[in-house]
Amino acid sequence: MKEILLLKLGELVLKGLNRGNFEKRLMKNLAWRIRNFGEFKIYCMQSTIYVDPQSEDCDMDAALDAASRVFGIVNISRAAEVEKDIDKIISVSKEYLRDTLSNAKTFKVEAKRSDKSFPKKSPEICFEVGSALHDEFENIEVDVKNPEVLVKVEIRDRAAYVHANPIPGAGGLPVGINGRAAILLSGGIDSPVAAYMMAKRGVELFGIHFFSYPYTSERAKEKVIELARLVGKYAGNIKIAMVPFTKIQEEIRANCKEEYFTLIMRRFMMQIAERVARENNCGALITGESLGQVASQTMEALGVTENGISLPVLRPVIGMDKEEIVGIARRINTFETSILPYEDCCTVFTPKHPRTKPKLENILEEEKKLPFDALCCEAIENIEII
C-alpha cells in the first residue's frame, strides 16, 4: 500500500496572478525542510501539495513533523493512495484505518470527487464506504456532528486517497514571498515570538543581536543562537549579526544622564540595525516591543528610539499582553530557552528612574556628548556573522 502526504494550501488559494510563484516558493521551502528524510517528489495540483515518497526508506514521520512547521500549509494528512475503484477504495479504507477505527467510538465519512468522470457521486461514496466500515468495525457508530474520526475519501485526477483526521499546518504565507527583514533578537521572550509572527507572514528573517561582553556572558550569546535555531524550525535558516555593544554602553554611562541611558542605548541599536539591515538587503526592522510593557516602550519612547531611521519598524506584538506572548512562546517552544538566566545587554546599566515620556530635543542634546557615528561604525566593523 502506497502512502503519501497531502498538504492543503491556506490563504494562497486567494492569490491572483502571483499564486504560481507563491506555490513554487512554498514547494522549495518544503523540499529544503524534508531533504534529510529521503527522496520525495513534490508537486502541486488542485490547491493541494503532494509529498510522494520515491523509496521505501523515506521517513514519513519525520517528513510529516517538518512539514507541519512550514508556513503556507493549513493542514496535513497521511493518506493511502489507491486506484479509482470503489471496491478497492473500501478495501484500502478498512486496512489503512484499522488501528484508528478499532480504538474509536464514532466516525463520519466525507467524500470529495474532483474527478467528475468517477461514476459515483460524493453522497454515494460516503454511503458505501461508511456502510462498509460500520459493518467491519462493530465498536463504532456514525456521528455526523462531532465524530471522533473523520474519514476522508478524495477522488482526484491521478488516483483516489483515503485518510483520517488531518493535523493542523502552520498556516500563514511561505517564507520569502514578502521580502526580508532584520529581527532584533534580545534573548527574551518577546523577540522570538515577533520573529515567528513575521515569518508566518512570508518574511525571510535576518537576526541582529547586541552583546556586551564581559557584562553579558558567552552563555547569553549561545542562548540567542538557540532561540534563532528554534524559530528557524518555522522560518528556515537565520543568519545572525552579533554586534559588540560594550564600548557604546560604557560611553553612554560615562557621559550621559542616567535617566536617558536606555533610550540612548536603544537609539544606537536602531541606527546600527538599520545600517546592518540595508547591507543585508532587508526592507524593514522587526522588534518585540509591546506598548507600555516597560519604560522604554511607551508611545513617546518608541517615537524617540525610531527617530533618525527611515526603514519601517514592524512590531507584531505591539498590542499583545505578556500572557498572550508567553502563550505563543510556549507553543513554538522558545519559552524555556528565553527564561534561562543569562542576561542580555538591555539589562546592563539600567537606570533606576528611566524617562517614560522623553522629549527628543533632550535626547539629542545628550547624544552630542558622544561620537555617535564613530561608535556606530566601530561596532559594525566588528560584527560577527553566525
Side-chain angles (χ1 to χ4, degrees), residues 120-163:
K120 294 185 181 294
K121 296 182 179 180
S122 295
E124 296 174 283
I125 299 169
C126 290
F127 176 77
E128 294 196 30
V129 174
S131 297
L133 293 177
H134 187 264
D135 293 341
E136 180 76 10
F137 302 96
E138 296 180 354
N139 54 293
I140 56 174
E141 296 294 334
V142 175
D143 183 347
V144 297
K145 292 185 177 180
N146 189 30
E148 189 176 339
V149 178
L150 177 60
V151 176
K152 291 200 170 188
V153 179
E154 301 187 41
I155 312 297
R156 292 180 168 265
D157 289 347
R158 295 190 179 186
Y161 301 91
V162 175
H163 54 95

Side-chain angles (χ1 to χ4, degrees), residues 338-359:
S338 290
I339 62 173
L340 291 174
Y342 310 126
E343 294 185 332
D344 58 53
C345 69
C346 293
T347 60
V348 177
F349 310 141
T350 303
K352 293 181 180 179
H353 303 289
R355 281 292 180 100
T356 58
K357 295 184 178 183
K359 293 182 178 180

Side-chain angles (χ1 to χ4, degrees), residues 15 31 43 104-105 132 157 194 222 263 270-271 354:
K15 300 301 179 183
Y43 55 95
K105 294 181 179 179
D157 289 347
E222 292 168 6
L263 291 166
M270 296 297 278
Q271 295 190 42

Side-chain angles (χ1 to χ4, degrees), residues 44-283:
C44 185
M45 295 175 61
Q46 298 169 311
S47 300
T48 300
I49 290 179
Y50 296 73
V51 179
D52 188 349
Q54 301 297 290
S55 62
E56 292 184 358
D57 62 351
C58 289
D59 189 338
M60 295 294 282
D61 291 329
L64 175 66
D65 180 62
S68 70
R69 293 191 293 270
V70 175
F71 291 127
I73 299 163
V74 68
N75 67 57
I76 307 171
S77 299
R78 290 178 74 146
E81 184 177 280
V82 57
E83 186 180 332
K84 290 186 283 187
D85 176 89
I86 191 64
D87 292 331
K88 292 181 179 179
I89 291 171
I90 290 172
S91 175
V92 167
S93 297
K94 293 177 182 178
E95 180 183 355
Y96 186 63
L97 302 176
R98 184 167 297 279
D99 290 344
T100 301
L101 292 173
S102 294
N103 294 292
K105 294 181 179 179
T106 60
F107 83 111
K108 174 187 176 181
V109 177
E110 287 185 354
K112 181 178 180 180
R113 187 181 63 134
S114 299
D115 178 4
K116 302 305 180 185
S117 67
F118 190 75
K120 294 185 181 294
K121 296 182 179 180
S122 295
E124 296 174 283
I125 299 169
C126 290
F127 176 77
E128 294 196 30
V129 174
S131 297
L133 293 177
H134 187 264
D135 293 341
E136 180 76 10
F137 302 96
E138 296 180 354
N139 54 293
I140 56 174
E141 296 294 334
V142 175
D143 183 347
V144 297
K145 292 185 177 180
N146 189 30
E148 189 176 339
V149 178
L150 177 60
V151 176
K152 291 200 170 188
V153 179
E154 301 187 41
I155 312 297
R156 292 180 168 265
D157 289 347
R158 295 190 179 186
Y161 301 91
V162 175
H163 54 95
N165 290 354
I167 67 169
L173 295 170
V175 171
I177 68 170
N178 277 325
R180 173 188 277 194
I183 170 69
L184 279 68
L185 282 170
S186 67
I189 297 171
D190 303 340
S191 56
V193 170
Y196 163 85
M197 292 178 70
M198 293 314 304
K200 189 173 183 178
R201 298 312 304 159
V203 175
E204 181 183 348
L205 301 176
F206 179 89
I208 299 176
H209 175 68
F210 295 87
F211 69 95
S212 294
Y213 184 81
Y215 302 106
T216 60
S217 67
E218 284 295 316
R219 297 295 296 273
K221 185 188 292 188
E222 292 168 6
K223 172 182 171 182
V224 169
I225 295 170
E226 174 63 10
L227 287 171
R229 189 187 68 81
L230 292 170
V231 174
K233 289 185 175 182
Y234 294 89
N237 286 349
I238 302 173
K239 291 182 178 180
I240 311 173
M242 294 288 184
V243 184
F245 206 57
T246 307
K247 185 174 181 179
I248 291 174
Q249 289 191 290
E250 289 178 339
E251 288 288 330
I252 294 171
R253 180 181 63 175
N255 294 285
C256 301
K257 293 180 181 178
E258 183 183 359
E259 63 200 83
Y260 296 124
F261 281 2
T262 301
L263 291 166
I264 296 172
M265 176 193 74
R266 294 183 72 83
R267 281 174 55 81
F268 267 103
M269 287 181 171
M270 296 297 278
Q271 295 190 42
I272 291 172
E274 180 179 49
R275 298 184 196 185
V276 175
R278 290 190 183 279
E279 289 176 2
N280 289 276
N281 301 314
C282 297

